[in-house]
């Protein structure tokens, strides 16, 4: 399947894939804040968008994956890993020296996946989700409170 995935930039006039973006970040207002300074990359499979990720300049030589999402029907097939490697490759090509990604303390699978592709935990923003989101987020039976930041050298 990975051989048939085409990753491309979202064009200006195209519809923003909120259906995917919202599964990675439940706040549309939060998404809208970073989209204006970001590039959205779409992953198409046989003409259908099955995933996406968002790269946002984090200042200096650092870029951030703000959002990465795979359509539920296509999860667990290696696509998330493929998209992370694609983001790393594009960030390197663009001259960035570090790439960062943040996720919640409760996102156990994501923490596993990001470390598996070479990210290391470099910071924790305590109570980030409690402060910035109106509704409590419960995942894997625990409350999502803190943002775990992970970094990978390029
Ligand atoms: N729980 C447990 N394990 C997981 C999870 C999870 N939620 N997600 C991935 N994994 C594991 C897989 O079991 C797999 O393990 P293996 O390599 O040992 O077999 C490994 O991670 C890689 O899995 P992939 O198939 O490459 O990942 P997938 O295509 O499912 O994409 C993603 C991962 C993007 C996290 C997807 O599950 C998704 O869209 N989830 C919902 C949105 C989300 O949480 N996005 C990240 C939010 S943080 C941010 O956007 C910056």
């Amino acid at each position: 399947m990975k051989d048939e995935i085409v990753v491309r930039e979202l064009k200006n006039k195209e519809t923003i894939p909120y259906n995917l973006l919202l599964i990675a970040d439940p706040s549309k207002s939060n998404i809208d804040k970073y989209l204006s300074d970001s590039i959205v990359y779409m992953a198409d499979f046989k003409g259908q968008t099955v995933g996406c990720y968002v790269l946002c300049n984090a200042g200096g030589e650092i870029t951030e994956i703000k959002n990465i999402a795979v359509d539920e029907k296509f999860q667990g097939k290696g696509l998330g890993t493929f998209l992370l490697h694609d983001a790393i490759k594009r960030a390197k090509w663009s001259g960035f020296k570090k790439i960062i990604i943040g996720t919640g303390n409760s996102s156990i699978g994501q923490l596993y996946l990001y470390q598996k592709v070479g990210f290391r935990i470099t910071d924790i923003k305590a109570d980030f989700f409690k402060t910035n989101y109106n509704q409590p987020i419960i995942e894997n039976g625990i409350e999502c409170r803190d943002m775990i930041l992970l970094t990978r050298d390029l």
Side-chain angles (χ1 to χ4, degrees):
M1 180 190 175
K2 275 173 281 174
D3 300 341
E4 292 179 76
I5 299 287
V6 177
V7 181
R8 61 179 180 85
E9 277 186 36
L10 181 77
K11 295 179 206 87
N12 279 339
K13 286 179 188 160
E14 269 184 283
T15 308
I16 294 169
Y18 284 113
N19 58 326
L20 284 170
L21 297 171
L22 284 163
I23 64 170
D25 183 342
S27 165
K28 183 173 179 294
S29 59
N30 195 38
I31 293 171
D32 287 338
K33 271 184 224 147
Y34 56 71
L35 276 190
S36 52
D37 294 324
S38 304
I39 301 174
V40 181
Y41 292 93
M42 309 284 278
D44 294 343
F45 175 64
K46 296 184 174 167
Q48 180 194 354
T49 297
V50 293
C52 68
Y53 67 85
V54 177
L55 277 186
C56 180
N57 194 333
E61 295 177 318
I62 306 172
T63 189
E64 177 170 0
I65 301 175
K66 277 285 189 188
N67 190 312
I68 178 162
V70 171
D71 183 319
E72 270 180 39
K73 295 188 290 294
F74 294 87
Q75 287 177 11
K77 300 179 193 301
L79 192 47
T81 307
F82 176 80
L83 290 181
L84 284 166
H85 284 298
D86 191 85
I88 289 164
K89 188 176 69 185
R90 284 175 200 265
K92 211 184 279 188
W93 282 346
S94 304
F96 290 103
K97 297 285 184 251
K98 283 184 192 294
I99 185 164
I100 59 175
I101 191 163
T103 194
N105 58 285
S106 53
S107 298
I108 310 300
Q110 289 80 345
L111 285 167
Y112 160 79
L113 170 58
Y114 303 155
Q115 290 177 83
K116 204 168 175 197
V117 298
F119 286 84
R120 293 186 61 185
I121 294 173
T122 44
D123 204 0
I124 297 172
K125 289 188 186 173
D127 285 323
F128 177 88
F129 291 97
K130 276 197 89 71
T131 310
N132 292 287
Y133 290 75
N134 295 330
Q135 302 290 329
I137 305 168
I138 307 292
E139 194 185 15
N140 296 312
I142 48 173
E143 187 174 0
C144 181
R145 299 175 66 119
D146 310 316
M147 164 89 82
I148 313 291
L149 280 167
L150 301 99
T151 305
R152 189 191 193 278
D153 288 332
L154 296 171

